[in-house]
Amino acid sequence: MSIQVKNVSKSFGSFQALKDISVDIESGELIALLGPSGSGKTTLLRILAGLEGLDEGAIYFDGENITNVSPKERKVGFVFQHYALFRHMTVFENVAYGLKVRPRKTRPSKQEIAKKVNELLELVKLQNFQDRYPSQLSGGQRQRVALARALAVEPKVLLLDEPFGALDAKVRKELRRWLRQLHNEFHVTSIFVTHDQEEALDVADRIIVMNNGKIEQIGTPDEVYENPKSPFVYDFLGNVNIFRGRLQNGKLRQGQFEISAPNYLDSHDEAVGYVRPHDIQIEKEKVDNETVAAKITFIHIVGPTVQIELKREDNGEFLEAELTKEHYKNLEIQKGDIVYVRPKQLKVFIPEDFSI
Amino acid sequence: MELSLKRRKKTTIIPGFSLTFGYTMLYLSMIVLLPLSMIIVNTLSMSWSEFYETITHPRAVASYKLSFGTAFVAGLINVFFGTMIAWVLIRYEFPGRKIIDGLVDLPFALPTAVAGIALTTLYAPNGWIGQFFDFKISYTPLGIIIALTFIGLPFVVRTVQPVLQNLSKEVEEASASLGATRFQTFVKIILPELYPAMITGFSLAFSRALGEYGSVVFIAGNMPMKTEITPLIIMTKLEQYDYVGATAIAIVMLSGSFIILLFINFIQWRMNRKFYH
Ligand SMILES: Nc1ncnc2c1ncn2[C@@H]1O[C@H](COP(=O)(O)OP(=O)(O)OP(=O)(O)O)[C@@H](O)[C@H]1O
Ligand SMILES: [Mg+2]
């Protein structure tokens, strides 16, 4: 089912939680909703599920305006951040609930329900846990029960609010792969909220980045990561180094130091350059003006990569670089050394357009 | 070897078990067990046949039926309406909510005799409410039930209220988005969460009603075999200086309530198992 959100706004009292949100989601897409805490992700999801009313705008499912349709009729599966399992029911009863509450005409028989529930429990690998109560399960298991429960009613749209929020890194990774697989199998249009940019980049077809109740950017993981539309998105999707300067003849200049910015040949504005840590090259000799001297203040070796913190000699700003271990070994550098830092990939934003 | 055995002793991270447990036992013994055992000691001066005769006297038997029966019905009525009042107070915003909330406790504050007199007047055949019914309410078991309902009302409301307040909204929303109607959500999701509190409220209201004397004697009419409650029989015996007879009847009441409360606790334990494993 395709989803269209048209100019939706929502306030809580005087606080505007969503400001003129518009999104088109195609049938069968897996969308990640990414943004800092309080940016309105949950609010948007709840509005889609019909759990929250909206002040302005409209929502269409498959072209049909469902703005005033009750949650019961929307056929939306909602997986809550804190699972919201029915604690007085066993795992089996939890999953069967959505089928059991159907009106008699459309309700499957007891055997059909049992068959369906067993299939789902198998899918979420909980077939041996069907007689347990939620309080007897681990966080990851509860999460999967919540997912199975939502899937049992064969929703047209699946909304997941930080589905892997409370889990450890390894389980998260496993579950998100599994969510991707599940999605490939069922083709249900899905939106999941996450704080974790890596998670979003890893599994989503498209990413919606939200900030302050507004959508900053919508795009494929690649687009959003490589071509962020605003400093906020750039910043949010990973670590960054910031170089402030003035554009001149296609270069961002900062005193002696200049970085080439070939897309800005005609600008002469104050600008801010963003460089990701892995786009920073470290050299031991000064060969040209496109490098700046910095002192190594810290070296962290994290598995196969090496993170290096540096302090610029000219203005004292801190920089962060990321090298492969091999490269690091070849360089033969150590803490306290003065090295020359060369930004290889620069993304320029001109501050008038964006307040940072 | 010895050390490892000691280590095995079940450890708990909550300190002060022996102190609090010791104090609890002492306190319970002094305040509850000692007076209760005096009843038994007192009765021991009776011969078995005397005892048996006293407690199976037709008047006494009729009073047991009346007392337990009316207390039970009053408890049930309170469970139903108390839960409803708690629901209204928690779920809806309306002017005067705070006042109604305060009114709920009134039956606790009012001297029970006052409540008894007021209810009797209201429900007397020519009273404000009594006149609308063509059957008698005051001076019948019905009147007793009304008095007992009145004094037991706060228990259910006050036990259910906090549970209702703390119910997570998300669980209800989950139920709705799974396609349940509001009625189904209430019956299948909300009520089961309330049962333990409702049962606690019931057992409190029930026990209170069993022992209630002040408000009932006015509205009951106190006709032997018809509207005479067990506490009244005990009082009558006491007034006739028949202490032993009074305690004999008291033992029956005590055992009866003890068995019922034990049974209620058992049901509750079965239910709680689901929630707290
Ligand atoms: N019922 C409510 N009443 C008042 N304010 C609310 C309510 N729900 C949300 N808000 C406010 O709306 C804003 C957005 O909330 P929302 O829950 O959508 O954030 P979020 O992006 O999901 O954040 P998080 O990542 O922390 O879950 C927040 O500032 C929050 O305080
Ligand atoms: Mg949220």
Side-chain angles (χ1 to χ4, degrees):
Chain A
M1 182 139 66
S2 70
I3 304 173
Q4 274 168 295
V5 178
K6 281 200 179 146
N7 308 98
V8 165
S9 296
K10 168 79 188 172
S11 299
F12 294 107
S14 60
F15 177 80
Q16 205 173 2
L18 293 180
K19 300 166 192 160
D20 196 20
I21 298 274
S22 296
V23 195
D24 277 355
I25 294 166
E26 277 164 40
S27 188
E29 269 191 308
L30 177 57
I31 302 276
L33 198 52
L34 192 61
S37 190
S39 55
K41 307 180 295 291
T42 299
T43 308
L44 180 57
L45 231 53
R46 289 174 57 84
I47 285 179
L48 286 175
L51 300 175
E52 201 88 67
L54 43 75
D55 300 338
E56 277 167 55
I59 295 171
Y60 298 83
F61 282 0
D62 270 346
E64 190 185 336
N65 188 337
I66 51 109
T67 314
N68 296 317
V69 173
S70 76
K72 172 173 150 27
E73 261 107 47
R74 285 202 189 182
K75 296 212 169 255
V76 164
F78 200 104
V79 178
F80 291 83
Q81 189 167 358
H82 304 291
Y83 324 127
L85 295 178
F86 307 132
R87 59 187 192 140
H88 60 283
M89 296 185 191
T90 61
V91 167
F92 182 95
E93 290 164 340
N94 262 284
V95 178
Y97 183 81
L99 298 170
K100 280 191 188 155
V101 296
R102 286 202 184 154
R104 190 158 288 135
K105 274 180 291 173
T106 54
R107 191 191 311 155
S109 72
K110 255 206 161 86
Q111 292 84 350
E112 283 168 325
I113 292 181
K115 184 161 167 277
K116 173 109 204 200
V117 172
N118 283 323
E119 276 171 20
L120 280 164
L121 288 178
E122 203 161 312
L123 185 78
V124 297
K125 305 195 182 75
L126 285 176
Q127 58 273 47
N128 297 327
F129 294 81
Q130 55 166 310
D131 293 325
R132 296 226 195 160
Y133 287 97
S135 59
Q136 297 168 311
L137 300 175
S138 74
Q141 290 165 341
R142 286 180 207 177
Q143 191 63 66
R144 281 179 282 162
V145 176
L147 199 54
R149 183 179 70 178
L151 287 172
V153 293
E154 294 177 1
K156 301 274 173 57
V157 174
L158 191 57
L159 305 174
L160 308 108
D161 196 355
E162 296 193 39
F164 317 127
L167 308 173
D168 69 68
K170 199 168 150 64
V171 179
R172 281 176 88 107
K173 205 154 195 168
E174 204 175 293
L175 276 181
R176 76 193 192 212
R177 282 284 145 75
W178 177 82
L179 174 69
R180 179 75 241 183
Q181 261 177 25
L182 191 84
H183 184 264
N184 292 347
E185 233 167 88
F186 281 74
H187 288 296
V188 48
T189 313
S190 312
I191 305 179
F192 74 100
V193 169
T194 175
H195 271 127
D196 181 345
Q197 57 275 15
E198 194 195 323
E199 198 161 278
L201 295 169
D202 191 20
V203 292
D205 294 323
R206 283 199 298 159
I207 295 178
I208 300 175
V209 185
M210 286 183 70
N211 185 28
N212 268 330
K214 280 195 282 221
I215 290 181
E216 291 273 341
Q217 188 169 4
I218 307 177
T220 62
D222 203 42
E223 270 168 22
V224 177
Y225 190 79
E226 296 297 338
N227 241 326
K229 275 196 191 146
S230 68
F232 172 82
V233 177
Y234 204 102
D235 205 10
F236 196 73
L237 286 180
N239 293 335
V240 285
N241 294 298
I242 294 177
F243 295 91
R244 287 167 208 282
R246 174 173 286 278
L247 286 169
Q248 217 168 42
N249 305 326
K251 300 201 167 182
L252 183 70
R253 297 182 68 104
Q254 230 181 3
Q256 283 292 306
F257 174 45
E258 52 188 34
I259 316 166
S260 73
N263 295 339
Y264 293 87
L265 270 176
D266 306 324
S267 316
H268 296 277
D269 294 305
E270 294 278 338
V272 183
Y274 285 74
V275 183
R276 297 242 182 253
H278 57 78
D279 287 328
I280 285 211
Q281 190 168 317
I282 291 181
E283 295 168 5
K284 295 187 85 166
E285 307 291 334
K286 182 178 166 93
V287 285
D288 55 33
N289 276 342
E290 297 208 357
T291 60
V292 65
K295 187 172 177 175
I296 298 178
T297 55
F298 255 115
I299 299 177
H300 309 280
I301 303 182
V302 187
T305 62
V306 180
Q307 286 167 7
I308 298 177
E309 274 177 40
L310 309 111
K311 188 175 177 186
R312 278 173 65 168
E313 289 284 285
D314 52 350
N315 60 10
E317 281 176 14
F318 283 94
L319 299 175
E320 197 182 326
E322 204 176 287
L323 311 178
T324 63
K325 206 164 190 170
E326 198 186 343
H327 193 164
Y328 165 73
K329 279 193 181 140
N330 292 341
L331 267 173
E332 293 178 346
I333 48 177
Q334 50 189 319
K335 194 171 152 182
D337 285 359
I338 306 277
V339 293
Y340 297 89
V341 167
R342 180 190 299 275
K344 288 186 296 187
Q345 275 265 352
L346 184 72
K347 175 85 191 169
V348 176
F349 292 104
I350 298 170
E352 272 98 277
D353 306 346
F354 302 99
S355 49
I356 313 169
Chain B
M1 186 63 205
E2 210 177 4
L3 201 124
S4 75
L5 271 180
K6 264 191 186 156
R7 280 264 172 81
R8 288 258 186 85
K9 235 179 76 179
K10 208 176 158 191
T11 52
T12 155
I13 51 159
I14 305 168
F17 173 73
S18 45
L19 184 70
T20 51
F21 185 72
Y23 187 73
T24 305
M25 290 321 278
L26 181 73
Y27 190 81
L28 273 181
S29 311
M30 280 178 35
I31 304 286
V32 184
L33 282 181
L34 205 60
L36 290 188
S37 51
M38 282 320 289
I39 296 178
I40 296 173
V41 171
N42 234 332
T43 332
L44 284 180
S45 61
M46 259 179 160
S47 77
W48 178 249
S49 60
E50 269 178 312
F51 175 71
Y52 185 76
E53 208 165 293
T54 314
I55 63 166
T56 54
H57 189 279
R59 245 173 99 176
V61 173
S63 83
Y64 306 146
K65 285 187 191 154
L66 181 69
S67 267
F68 281 97
T70 49
F72 189 80
V73 174
L76 283 187
I77 295 175
N78 271 331
V79 165
F80 185 76
F81 285 103
T83 306
M84 200 162 86
I85 291 172
W87 174 265
V88 169
L89 287 178
I90 295 288
R91 287 303 169 104
Y92 307 110
E93 280 288 337
F94 54 91
R97 197 182 63 161
K98 284 264 152 57
I99 296 174
I100 295 186
D101 198 48
L103 275 180
V104 168
D105 289 327
L106 217 55
F108 276 174
L110 215 59
T112 49
V114 177
I117 294 169
L119 288 171
T120 313
T121 334
L122 274 180
Y123 288 96
N126 53 358
W128 280 7
I129 300 180
Q131 58 181 323
F132 297 112
F133 294 92
D134 47 13
F135 51 87
K136 254 169 73 175
I137 297 176
S138 280
Y139 318 122
T140 66
L142 204 59
I144 301 179
I145 291 175
I146 289 177
L148 295 182
T149 307
F150 176 81
I151 53 134
L153 174 75
F155 290 108
V156 177
V157 180
R158 291 298 180 230
T159 47
V160 169
Q161 225 173 356
V163 179
L164 207 49
Q165 181 107 59
N166 291 335
L167 267 193
S168 110
K169 198 176 85 183
E170 286 192 346
V171 174
E172 280 171 55
E173 289 172 345
S175 170
S177 78
L178 287 168
T181 61
R182 302 202 33 148
F183 181 71
Q184 283 171 321
T185 303
F186 181 75
V187 172
K188 292 180 182 238
I189 306 299
I190 299 173
L191 266 189
E193 297 268 348
L194 298 185
Y195 284 147
M198 285 162 74
I199 293 175
T200 304
F202 172 81
S203 64
L204 287 172
F206 172 76
S207 342
R208 171 74 208 276
L210 258 189
E212 175 61 13
Y213 173 79
S215 60
V216 180
V217 284
F218 291 99
I219 204 166
N222 309 328
M223 288 190 336
M225 305 297 294
K226 288 212 180 92
T227 57
E228 195 177 34
I229 55 169
T230 314
L232 181 68
I233 293 205
I234 297 176
M235 280 305 283
T236 322
K237 285 197 186 294
L238 286 178
E239 274 162 10
Q240 296 159 353
Y241 303 106
D242 180 8
Y243 293 131
V244 185
T247 49
I249 305 270
I251 283 190
V252 176
M253 265 204 113
L254 257 179
S255 328
S257 357
F258 189 68
I259 290 169
I260 290 173
L261 291 180
L262 214 59
F263 179 68
I264 293 176
N265 272 348
F266 173 74
I267 297 179
Q268 211 157 19
W269 170 75
R270 290 276 312 254
M271 279 194 161
N272 277 351
R273 260 198 329 186
K274 282 188 184 175
F275 293 118
Y276 319 101
H277 299 273

